[in-house]
């Protein structure tokens, strides 16, 4: 029996504001990746890219999934949630009297 190592997936991303671009960086420790599949939690997907730039058009929690397949035939998945905050609104009042 041969036990093949898994890819040990990981990625960096941070919570952000609505309509700001977020950069997602695959930090997987294995160099032997044959395919990547990103699900951005809003219906948009990307394939093969180790660095993805994405912009969300609605606020709230987004569940990001990265599925990796290695050249050895093994696959692994990481799921993380980030928060997209609504843009602040202007709400000041000035009395001109």
């Amino acid at each position: 029996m041969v036990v093949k190592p898994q890819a040990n997936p990981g990625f960096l991303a941070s919570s952000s504001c609505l309509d700001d671009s977020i950069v997602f960086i695959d930090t997987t420790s294995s160099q032997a990746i044959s395919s990547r599949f990103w699900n951005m939690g809003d219906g948009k997907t990307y394939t093969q890219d180790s660095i993805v730039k994405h912009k969300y058009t609605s606020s709230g929690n987004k569940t990001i999934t990265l599925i990796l397949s290695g050249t050895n035939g093994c696959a692994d998945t990481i799921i993380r949630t980030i928060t997209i905050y609504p843009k602040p609104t202007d709400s000041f009042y000035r009395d001109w009297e």
Side-chain angles (χ1 to χ4, degrees), residues 38-87:
W38 296 86
N39 182 328
M40 306 314 289
D42 63 352
K44 181 70 176 171
T45 60
Y46 300 91
T47 58
Q48 295 303 82
D49 299 323
S50 61
I51 299 174
V52 170
K53 189 174 182 180
H54 186 69
K55 186 184 290 189
Y56 288 95
T57 58
S58 65
S59 59
N61 291 333
K62 307 298 179 187
T63 302
I64 315 306
T65 305
L66 173 59
I67 303 171
L68 301 169
S69 295
T71 55
N72 62 4
C74 295
D76 208 348
T77 302
I78 185 169
I79 299 170
R80 289 186 46 205
T81 300
I82 64 170
T83 301
I84 305 303
Y85 298 101
K87 291 272 189 186

Side-chain angles (χ1 to χ4, degrees), residues 7 29-35 69-72 74:
S29 59
S30 173
Q31 298 298 318
I33 303 299
S34 62
S35 69
S69 295
T71 55
N72 62 4
C74 295

